[in-house]
Amino acid sequence: MSRSTTDSASSAALPTPKERRRLREALALSEEQVAEAMGVTKATVKSWETGRSEPRGRKLDAYAKLLGASGAPLPEDPLPADPPAAEPRTQPRPPGRRPPERDSPRERDRPSADSPLDAPATRTEHPSTAGCATERTTERTTEPMRASSPAPAARPGVSKPSERLKPAPDANPAPDAPPVTPAPSVDPAPALTPEEAFDALYAHAAPGLVHQTYLLTGRRRLSRESVEHAFHHAWQHWPEVAVDADPVGWVRAAAYEYALSPWHRFRRAHKHPDAPPTEANRRALLGALLELPPPYRRTVLLYDGLGLDLPETAAETEASTPAAANRLLHARTVLARRLPELSEPEELHRRLGTLVAEAPTTTLPPARAVRTGSEHRTRTWTRAVLWVTAALIGVTGFTAATAPTRYIPVNAPGETVNGVPVRGGPQKLSPEDLELRDALRSRPNPGPERLVPVAE
């Protein structure tokens, strides 16, 4: 088997980047310990867990064995069945939530008070974080079948869809049992073109992301600009976004990074926030959020507003899980000090969830205009880079052609220092001296000829 085939087979058994972080923390390993065991740097391990790069060759197999994922691939979302009890962790956690009233569908899906904040409990995600619903439904439907079906020898833990859906043969079939009729084959849905897939992602996630970015910045114009910039960036890197496990999270991270950039404070249009809402409760909560530092504001919005768990929040904010937990604790403390009715985590989660779930009112340009603008901006930057490069080459060539080929020293005239005349060397000729010198050189000598001795 060639090396490329081995890498592809091992990469299929490697979990998603968010799952890699969760598995490492479940094993009570730090990034330094994993880096020392793998023979790489800590930055490389962080890039593996954020999805910026992937291990290859022997390091890929060793990394999969270290995480315990060399067998069947783990699902990204927890299954509906009761998950096993999570191992105790050493990192600090925010205080647990009180058991809420299980009335609404959102509250029924929240974890109980005994479960830690970073436990993989079943939860309800905001529509903007749902991602591709068809892929998640397929994973949850076929996962129990995958566990019960034998895996092929070439790729352990992964079976073909046709093999997973076949019923297991009965060892002792009944004599009067009717023959099993195979289910009719269903034609797969036609594949979407990149433009159609991008348009579907834009229509699904853009309105909610504009509203979330407004809660982070308090500026409607900046929130719309941030989402458009994020989708421009996503279309430029569409091959990467199309295969990402959470494309909405990819775009959301880009929009949040642009919206929270400190350089916007120097722009006059985004220097001051917009007018606060007219409703008192929304105005007070939004004002308290905007008083938090940007990293804390983003953490509490992702965790209590969108319903992400603690490892996912830490991965999206590019922080460690203990750091994300400490930011969440600090943000909750500040919000409770500002609004005493939000001292309970469940009440804060309910208020933020209601604020995030509000219908956005901002009108966005069509997806085609966003794609066209991204392509136009790419062409503009490419042409600008080419013109600057050509100008630099021209200036360099002109300088090389006109530069002297040897050094010509400068004969500086003597100067008088502290009244002391210049020592040695001829004095500078005056205009009269120059005129006399030219006259003597041009006229013949009228005097007697020079006497030459003659030998007798």
Side-chain angles (χ1 to χ4, degrees):
M1 183 180 293
S2 63
R3 182 176 180 180
S4 60
T5 307
T6 306
D7 292 349
S8 61
S10 301
S11 63
L14 200 62
T16 59
K18 296 179 181 179
E19 189 68 16
R20 297 170 200 171
R21 173 192 285 264
R22 192 190 68 79
L23 290 174
R24 175 180 61 80
E25 294 174 351
L27 295 174
L29 296 176
S30 63
E31 294 179 351
E32 292 83 357
Q33 294 173 342
V34 176
E36 183 178 358
M38 297 296 301
V40 296
T41 61
K42 178 182 176 182
T44 303
V45 176
K46 184 183 291 289
S47 65
W48 290 351
E49 293 183 353
T50 55
R52 294 181 178 177
S53 64
E54 295 290 337
R56 296 182 179 180
R58 297 180 179 178
K59 293 189 183 297
L60 188 147
D61 298 333
Y63 187 53
K65 292 180 181 179
L66 179 64
L67 297 180
S70 58
L74 298 176
E76 182 183 356
D77 291 339
L79 298 177
D82 294 333
E87 297 180 1
R89 306 189 181 182
T90 57
Q91 65 267 19
R93 302 188 181 96
R97 299 185 175 93
R98 294 190 309 175
E101 298 293 335
R102 309 288 178 169
D103 293 336
S104 61
R106 182 182 180 88
E107 297 298 334
R108 285 199 304 269
D109 294 332
R110 297 298 300 174
S112 60
D114 297 333
S115 62
L117 292 178
D118 51 351
T122 305
R123 54 186 173 81
T124 302
E125 295 183 348
H126 189 264
S128 61
T129 65
C132 212
T134 306
E135 295 180 2
R136 294 177 181 262
T137 306
T138 305
E139 290 178 4
R140 295 176 179 175
T141 305
T142 59
E143 187 64 23
M145 301 181 184
R146 186 190 316 173
S148 61
S149 61
R155 301 180 63 179
V158 180
S159 59
K160 298 180 179 179
S162 59
E163 296 178 356
R164 290 200 300 264
L165 297 179
K166 290 181 180 179
D170 192 0
N172 298 319
D176 298 334
V180 179
T181 304
S185 60
V186 180
D187 295 336
L192 298 177
T193 62
E195 291 78 7
E196 294 174 350
F198 177 84
D199 295 350
L201 177 64
Y202 181 81
H204 170 73
L209 288 178
V210 171
H211 185 61
Q212 297 168 28
T213 313
Y214 167 70
L215 298 180
L216 280 179
T217 60
R219 298 164 175 83
R220 293 179 175 84
R221 183 177 177 183
L222 177 60
S223 62
R224 174 174 172 174
E225 179 182 336
S226 303
V227 174
E228 290 184 8
H229 172 81
F231 275 98
H232 285 167
H233 193 58
W235 182 241
Q236 295 173 5
H237 300 78
W238 185 248
E240 175 187 349
V241 180
V243 299
D244 193 86
D246 186 12
V248 178
W250 197 100
V251 180
R252 180 177 62 238
Y256 284 9
E257 288 290 341
Y258 183 86
L260 296 178
S261 175
W263 297 105
H264 295 308
R265 69 183 66 177
F266 300 105
R267 302 173 59 183
R268 180 174 300 179
H270 306 317
K271 193 172 183 179
H272 302 287
D274 297 343
T278 56
E279 186 180 351
N281 293 335
R282 296 178 68 253
R283 182 173 63 251
L285 182 55
L286 184 59
L289 278 176
L290 295 179
E291 290 183 357
L292 293 173
Y296 299 83
R297 194 187 318 159
R298 181 177 180 180
T299 301
V300 73
L301 181 65
L302 289 174
Y303 187 83
D304 283 325
L306 299 180
L308 300 184
D309 57 9
L310 202 56
E312 291 179 350
T313 303
E316 186 160 330
T317 55
E318 296 185 355
S320 61
T321 304
N326 291 331
R327 290 177 181 177
L328 185 60
L329 284 172
H330 177 76
R332 286 179 172 179
T333 303
V334 174
L335 291 176
R337 189 183 304 118
R338 177 71 182 273
L339 301 174
E341 64 272 13
L342 301 181
S343 58
E344 295 296 332
E346 285 298 333
E347 180 63 21
L348 175 62
H349 166 70
R350 187 189 65 81
R351 290 278 299 275
L352 275 179
T354 304
L355 194 62
V356 170
E358 291 179 352
T361 58
T362 306
T363 58
L364 295 174
R368 179 182 178 85
V370 175
R371 286 191 285 105
T372 306
S374 177
E375 295 170 357
H376 177 71
R377 187 172 64 173
T378 302
R379 287 193 297 267
T380 302
W381 279 106
T382 303
R383 292 172 182 172
V385 170
L386 291 177
W387 278 107
V388 170
T389 304
L392 289 177
I393 293 175
V395 171
T396 304
F398 177 78
T399 304
T402 57
T405 58
R406 60 187 180 87
Y407 176 71
I408 302 176
V410 179
N411 188 12
E415 296 181 359
T416 303
V417 180
N418 295 330
V420 178
V422 180
R423 294 180 57 186
Q427 299 294 329
K428 186 176 181 180
L429 299 179
S430 62
E432 293 80 4
D433 297 337
L434 293 174
E435 184 179 357
L436 177 60
R437 185 188 65 179
D438 295 339
L440 292 176
R441 289 179 178 178
S442 60
R443 298 174 185 174
N445 188 5
E449 297 183 358
R450 183 178 178 180
L451 297 178
V452 179
V454 179
E456 295 180 357

